[in-house]
Amino acid sequence: MTQRKGEKPTISIQEHMAIDVCPGPIQPIKQISDYFPRYPRGLPPTAPPPLAGRTPEGPAATSDPGRDDDELDRAFGAASALSAPGKKEEEPDVEGYDSDDSTTLGTLDFSLLYDQENNALHCTINKAKGLKPMDHNGLSDPYVKLHLLPGASKANKLRTKTLRNTLNPVWSETLTYYGITDEDMVRKTLRISVCDEDKFRHNEFIGETRIPLKKLKPNQTKNFYNCLEKQLPIDKTDDKSLEERGRIMISLKYSSQKSGLVVGIIRCAHLAAMDANGFSDPYVKTYLKPDENKKSKHKTAVKKKTLNPEFNEEFFYEIKYAELSKKTLEVTVWDYDIGKSNDFIGGVSLGINANGERLKHWFDCLKNKDKKIERWHTLTNELPGSGFND
């Protein structure tokens, strides 16, 4: 087929398809940035080299559009190659957030108060500022969670609500740990972590800060404004004897009017998780031993799916005051299971044969008739008594 001068060559669809499927080296697709190269800052742009077939006075006599496009690509491609070092300098450091400067993770504003009289630690999470963006939209969905170390577990984890699409969240939430003793304030550390919640993936860690509780003074609020740090390792060599099964708050009162002992099961805190879902279905049983007639058993209601149950139940034992010195109160906490044996969580014994706070609680009850005395006690994994099954 003859081609007239100045007319573009035509290609049949068969030839076009044959060209497309013809094997050969794959050429990179041109990007618009190839036609607009970036030059290093402070340096004048270098003019692209003259195209072949052109003179400074004017264009070549013959014009081939396809050839001109190729030469244009080569020319500006060479110019952009010269500008590559400058382009690299302008690119942001994607790893910049992992630098040693912890301020890139953000800051956290919070306050702590140890209520010594009520054995409670109040943690008020106010706000965070300048958090590291974790999502594709350049924002995060942050929340705060708390743990007490050593012994971080689901039993002593508290968390705030999640705030969506923000790097400067304001929570203004107060989270409270109950059953905190003076001994805890000496040896425990509060770990505060800020995380990003993801609906379809695992939640991502942003940063954390740790506060030794011995820095706090009883009944005085202390404010903190801390820079978040990278995740610190948790010491796995902690003494296993420090492992706890939880805490229980018990009240004792000898009623002169009724001639009997009133035992109050108020609440538990930080119980061990016994079920696959990470929780327990706890209830409490009490016995006044020795129990020859086996009539001293009392049991609370079952609280579903919780590690920090509130019971607020009282049980009455009719007994003469003089006989109390010979008795032992055994309190056990159990996890209720349907269709199989209930799991033992922990127990504590109060009486003349006890020691430490358990003995002191019993003596205080005997010394102060008609006065309700409340104490927190640590549950042990040893089942009180013998032949004692649920």
Side-chain angles (χ1 to χ4, degrees), residues 25 60 68 114 135 173 215 250 258 271 288 302 338 387:
D68 288 349
Y114 174 48
D135 298 335
E173 279 190 58
K215 288 186 176 182
I250 302 172
K258 296 182 179 180
L271 294 180
L288 193 61
V302 176
I338 299 176

Side-chain angles (χ1 to χ4, degrees), residues 17-80:
M17 295 299 294
I19 293 172
D20 284 350
V21 300
C22 180
I26 299 175
Q27 298 297 330
I29 299 174
K30 298 293 187 295
Q31 298 182 3
I32 192 170
S33 59
D34 294 336
Y35 298 95
F36 300 95
R38 297 179 181 178
Y39 299 98
R41 291 181 179 177
L43 297 178
T46 304
L51 301 180
R54 294 178 183 264
T55 62
E57 292 77 17
T62 59
S63 175
D64 187 344
R67 182 179 177 183
D68 288 349
D69 288 342
D70 292 339
E71 291 178 350
L72 188 65
D73 291 344
R74 286 195 297 270
F76 281 100
S80 62

Side-chain angles (χ1 to χ4, degrees), residues 161-195:
K161 61 187 176 184
T162 300
L163 300 181
R164 301 291 177 187
N165 297 323
T166 178
L167 300 180
N168 301 286
V170 178
W171 289 283
S172 298
E173 279 190 58
T174 298
L175 308 174
T176 301
Y177 281 105
Y178 294 100
I180 301 298
T181 63
D182 290 342
E183 180 186 356
D184 292 328
M185 297 301 293
V186 173
R187 69 181 184 90
K188 295 264 186 184
T189 295
L190 179 65
R191 178 191 183 196
I192 307 178
S193 307
V194 182
C195 301

Side-chain angles (χ1 to χ4, degrees), residues 23-295:
I26 299 175
Q27 298 297 330
I29 299 174
K30 298 293 187 295
Q31 298 182 3
I32 192 170
S33 59
D34 294 336
Y35 298 95
F36 300 95
R38 297 179 181 178
Y39 299 98
R41 291 181 179 177
L43 297 178
T46 304
L51 301 180
R54 294 178 183 264
T55 62
E57 292 77 17
T62 59
S63 175
D64 187 344
R67 182 179 177 183
D68 288 349
D69 288 342
D70 292 339
E71 291 178 350
L72 188 65
D73 291 344
R74 286 195 297 270
F76 281 100
S80 62
L82 292 174
S83 66
K87 182 178 179 181
K88 186 174 182 180
E89 290 177 4
E90 292 183 356
E91 290 178 352
D93 181 11
V94 295
E95 299 297 328
Y97 289 113
D98 293 331
S99 65
D100 291 334
D101 186 5
S102 60
T103 56
T104 58
L105 300 177
T107 55
L108 185 65
D109 182 351
F110 61 98
S111 63
L112 302 176
L113 170 63
Y114 174 48
D115 184 351
Q116 190 175 34
E117 182 179 355
N118 296 310
N119 296 104
L121 176 64
H122 303 289
C123 312
T124 300
I125 308 300
N126 297 319
K127 60 185 177 179
K129 185 177 180 181
L131 294 180
K132 175 183 174 181
M134 305 298 290
D135 298 335
H136 295 300
N137 60 2
L139 300 173
S140 294
D141 302 319
Y143 67 93
V144 176
K145 63 180 180 179
L146 310 180
H147 286 101
L148 285 175
L149 304 176
S153 67
K154 197 164 187 174
N156 65 38
K157 183 183 83 170
L158 300 176
R159 64 162 285 173
T160 67
K161 61 187 176 184
T162 300
L163 300 181
R164 301 291 177 187
N165 297 323
T166 178
L167 300 180
N168 301 286
V170 178
W171 289 283
S172 298
E173 279 190 58
T174 298
L175 308 174
T176 301
Y177 281 105
Y178 294 100
I180 301 298
T181 63
D182 290 342
E183 180 186 356
D184 292 328
M185 297 301 293
V186 173
R187 69 181 184 90
K188 295 264 186 184
T189 295
L190 179 65
R191 178 191 183 196
I192 307 178
S193 307
V194 182
C195 301
D196 170 61
E197 183 177 294
D198 283 321
K199 291 183 178 179
F200 305 106
R201 298 183 299 171
H202 292 295
N203 296 344
E204 296 179 288
F205 175 86
I206 297 178
E208 71 170 39
T209 185
R210 298 187 185 185
I211 305 296
L213 297 185
K214 61 184 178 182
K215 288 186 176 182
L216 305 180
K217 295 181 180 179
N219 306 314
Q220 293 185 18
T221 300
K222 186 167 184 178
N223 298 311
F224 296 87
Y225 191 75
N226 290 9
C227 292
L228 297 176
E229 302 177 273
K230 296 179 182 179
Q231 193 164 14
L232 302 174
I234 297 177
D235 188 5
K236 300 296 184 181
T237 61
D238 290 336
D239 187 359
K240 294 300 181 183
S241 64
L242 296 178
E243 260 184 34
E244 299 172 355
R245 307 290 289 181
R247 308 278 178 90
I248 185 169
M249 188 180 214
I250 302 172
S251 68
L252 298 177
K253 183 181 78 170
Y254 184 81
S255 174
S256 301
Q257 184 178 0
K258 296 182 179 180
S259 298
L261 178 67
V262 181
V263 178
I265 304 300
I266 301 172
R267 68 190 305 163
C268 295
H270 323 321
L271 294 180
M274 307 302 290
D275 296 336
N277 60 7
F279 293 96
S280 293
D281 301 318
Y283 67 94
V284 179
K285 294 194 302 178
T286 65
Y287 290 84
L288 193 61
K289 310 283 283 188
D291 181 22
E292 297 176 357
N293 298 323
K294 299 187 181 298
K295 294 182 179 181

